Amino acid sequence: MIEVREVKTAKERREFLNFALDLYRGNPFFVPPLYADEKKMFRKDYVYRSSCDSVFFNAYKDGVMAGRIQGIIQKDANAKNGEKRCRFCRFDATDDLEVSRALFGAVEKWAREQGMDTLVGPLNYSDLEREGMLVEGFEEPATFEENYNAPYYKEHVEALGFEKEVDWTASRLYGAESPEALEELEQLVGFIFKRYKLHYGTARSGRELLKKYADGIFDLLDKSYEGLYGTVPFTEGMRKLVLENFAMVINPEHTAVILDENEKIVCFGLSFPGLAKALVGTRGKYTPLTLLKLLRAIRDPEILDLCLVGVEPEYLNRGVSGALSLAIMKMLRDNPRLKWADTNLNLEDNYAILNAWRRFRREECKRYRSYVKKI
């Protein structure tokens, strides 16, 4: 017997938060989210409460927890796009199609009651959180920013009538194709900088970098991400959340900010130390050992995660992204400990960002999908 319950009690919240951690216990490719951050979803002052309605469901088979799912109505996204969509995320289940059917049935019913006509996902509150269902690359380790799921998830959602809406790809960048290619790119960037009167921004610390450039980065994020799939406008609460998350890990050595002659940001790329290895097997909780591993990863990273990239639209066709590529190549060249940079998720039709990676030795290692279904 399968029973689906809306999450309401403290016990049910714990079961919701712990289910994926139990399901993927011992899996070396699964990277848990930070448990403390996930708990915030249930707080009344959560940053997305004003812009989203959400619901959480647990599924039990014969009294044993067998799955979970969250439904989100992103009101800002619906208003921006003129849609009536409900997002699903945090879907995890045992390999039992009937459990998945019951979970999605509960979310679809809730969404219809709220006046929605479409279910889509996995999409989170915003594209700052994990999104997409892994459909290729199941034996590749996830980054801290990526979901991980078993192959049968794809089979379940497609059996329930969902179809592909978009795909993201995730790649590893190993540096320039050759020393000659790096030198050629340096010459090209020098020409572009001279022609458009551009230069790299500087900062002595992460704190100084955020103080000097955070406002410009957020403004450019809104502008450059506006037409991308699944994005929503940045609220003040979202900006504060990002700054809190970035404060510990941002380092000017892993960041490229490109400015015009008036010190206005026209392009930027933010990368952070890869934290995945430090968190595997930890259940996302801050133990003394976990904190020690995280601090080591931050101080002396082996991998870079490319998290946010933005380009002023008027500069998209002026080759400015080459300056970003050059900066990343030099980061990888000048720090022998760095093995590669993970791009994380790039939309398969976001040719502007994909073109920025074409000068790299690159390995596409994972593919993620967002599904859609009329309800």
Side-chain angles (χ1 to χ4, degrees):
M1 176 182 172
I2 297 170
E3 178 189 9
V4 175
R5 297 182 210 153
E6 183 177 347
V7 173
K8 293 183 177 179
T9 68
K11 178 176 181 291
E12 290 165 345
R13 288 194 290 271
R14 287 194 300 272
E15 290 174 330
F16 185 93
L17 294 170
N18 287 329
F19 180 74
L21 305 177
D22 295 333
L23 186 66
Y24 291 104
R25 187 192 301 271
N27 186 308
F29 311 120
F30 171 77
V31 180
L34 293 176
Y35 198 87
D37 287 347
E38 290 289 278
K39 285 177 66 176
K40 292 177 184 177
M41 295 184 300
F42 296 106
R43 287 170 40 173
K44 293 182 179 179
D45 63 347
Y46 189 49
V47 66
Y48 291 106
R49 277 293 180 107
S50 62
S51 60
C52 299
D53 296 326
S54 64
V55 68
F56 305 85
F57 291 107
N58 289 341
Y60 305 85
K61 183 170 183 178
D62 299 328
V64 178
M65 182 81 172
R68 67 171 192 171
I69 197 168
Q70 180 183 5
I72 298 172
I73 297 174
Q74 221 309 341
K75 293 180 283 189
D76 288 347
N78 281 345
K80 182 181 83 168
N81 300 315
E83 296 171 332
K84 297 180 179 180
R85 289 187 160 205
C86 176
R87 303 176 171 199
F88 75 86
C89 64
R90 293 178 177 83
F91 163 63
D92 291 288
T94 57
D95 190 5
D96 186 327
L97 179 59
E98 295 311 308
V99 170
S100 296
R101 190 189 308 278
L103 285 166
F104 278 100
V107 171
E108 290 174 18
K109 180 176 182 293
W110 177 80
R112 287 193 299 268
E113 289 172 350
Q114 311 308 310
M116 302 297 106
D117 60 19
T118 304
L119 189 59
V120 61
L123 289 175
N124 219 307
Y125 293 100
S126 78
D127 60 311
L128 295 177
E129 285 77 41
R130 297 180 179 189
E131 58 189 354
M133 181 175 291
L134 184 65
V135 294
E136 294 178 15
F138 298 101
E139 294 186 358
E140 296 287 346
T143 70
F144 176 65
E145 293 80 13
E146 294 172 346
N147 282 324
Y148 182 83
N149 57 261
Y152 62 81
Y153 285 34
K154 176 179 182 291
E155 299 169 8
H156 285 202
V157 297
E158 292 179 0
L160 295 174
F162 286 87
E163 298 179 346
K164 171 188 170 179
E165 184 158 59
V166 300
D167 275 6
W168 296 267
T169 61
S171 301
R172 292 187 187 126
L173 308 179
Y174 293 98
E177 291 182 331
S178 67
E180 293 77 17
L182 180 59
E183 183 178 346
E184 181 181 330
L185 182 57
E186 278 190 289
Q187 293 174 356
L188 175 62
V189 170
F191 171 78
I192 291 169
F193 272 29
K194 184 176 180 180
R195 180 176 182 181
Y196 297 114
K197 299 180 181 178
L198 306 176
H199 60 281
Y200 287 109
T202 60
R204 291 168 295 181
S205 66
R207 180 176 296 181
E208 181 182 347
L209 187 145
L210 291 175
K211 183 177 180 180
K212 290 174 69 173
Y213 302 124
D215 287 342
I217 287 172
F218 283 124
D219 291 343
L220 187 50
L221 271 176
D222 266 339
K223 189 181 295 184
S224 58
Y225 281 38
E226 183 179 11
L228 295 182
Y229 178 82
T231 59
V232 298
F234 272 80
T235 64
E236 285 303 313
M238 288 169 64
R239 292 188 180 209
K240 181 180 178 183
L241 178 66
V242 170
L243 289 174
E244 289 173 353
N245 291 340
F246 285 5
M248 182 178 175
V249 295
I250 197 163
N251 184 333
E253 293 182 6
H254 305 145
T255 300
V257 178
I258 299 158
L259 310 169
D260 67 11
E261 59 184 326
N262 299 312
E263 299 298 304
K264 177 185 175 183
I265 299 177
V266 300
C267 179
F268 72 88
L270 304 183
S271 60
F272 306 112
L275 304 179
K277 187 176 178 180
L279 289 168
V280 169
T282 67
R283 299 178 71 85
K285 296 184 177 181
Y286 286 125
T287 65
L289 180 58
T290 301
L291 285 171
L292 180 61
K293 289 181 178 179
L294 286 171
L295 288 172
R296 285 175 177 169
I298 292 168
R299 284 198 306 263
D300 195 12
E302 294 182 351
I303 297 166
L304 289 181
D305 285 356
L306 307 182
C307 295
L308 292 174
V309 174
V311 182
E312 180 72 37
E314 67 179 278
Y315 282 87
L316 276 173
N317 298 317
R318 298 182 182 181
V320 173
S321 61
L324 174 60
S325 298
L326 178 63
I328 297 169
M329 288 176 184
K330 288 184 174 180
M331 292 175 202
L332 294 169
R333 181 198 65 184
D334 296 341
N335 188 339
R337 184 168 168 78
L338 287 175
K339 297 177 179 178
W340 65 75
D342 276 309
T343 67
N344 287 298
L345 275 60
N346 299 150
L347 284 165
E348 62 181 346
D349 60 355
N350 186 354
Y351 302 113
I353 190 65
L354 295 177
N355 282 337
W357 310 145
R358 64 185 172 85
R359 294 184 176 91
F360 286 85
R361 288 182 291 115
R362 172 177 169 239
E363 175 191 5
E364 185 179 298
C365 50
K366 286 166 280 188
R367 180 173 290 267
Y368 289 80
R369 182 162 298 164
S370 180
Y371 285 92
V372 65
K373 177 184 179 182
K374 287 291 182 181
I375 57 173

